[in-house]
Amino acid sequence: MAYDTNDLERQALEAINKYKLIWIEEVLSYLPCSKQTFYDHGLDKLDTIKNAITKNRNDLKVGLRKKWYDSDNATTQIA
């Protein structure tokens, strides 16, 4: 089956944003193509996909750091 790169990119970005994905491997499970097709189309190298994943990673780090700072749990503070 032939896939359109732009369509796969759109679907990948929708999944990344909807499910807050932070790894390329996670994105693959939401696409109708195989892993090989994903890489053959160069989707792993697209800045739009890289930037969306990086944004989700940063948002996650900021959120976890905020929870840590706001926590009164001694075990968390020691870790």
Side-chain angles (χ1 to χ4, degrees):
M1 175 180 243
Y3 292 101
D4 177 51
T5 302
N6 293 330
D7 189 41
L8 290 175
E9 178 185 8
R10 181 188 53 76
Q11 290 178 41
L13 290 170
E14 286 175 2
I16 290 167
N17 293 324
K18 181 176 181 180
Y19 300 107
K20 306 289 187 220
L21 305 178
I22 60 171
W23 303 108
I24 286 285
E25 293 294 324
E26 293 176 317
V27 177
L28 296 170
S29 62
Y30 292 95
L31 296 178
C33 64
S34 68
K35 183 178 187 177
Q36 187 63 47
T37 302
F38 180 84
Y39 286 104
D40 286 346
H41 282 264
L43 296 172
D44 60 313
K45 294 177 176 67
L46 293 178
D47 286 336
T48 53
I49 290 177
K50 286 181 184 179
N51 291 342
I53 287 174
T54 300
K55 181 189 178 307
N56 285 347
R57 283 183 187 163
N58 290 339
D59 290 348
L60 177 64
K61 289 176 189 176
V62 168
L64 290 173
R65 195 175 302 123
K66 181 174 177 2
K67 285 181 185 178
W68 172 47
Y69 289 145
D70 293 344
S71 174
D72 291 332
N73 186 325
T75 306
T76 303
Q77 296 299 329
I78 291 171

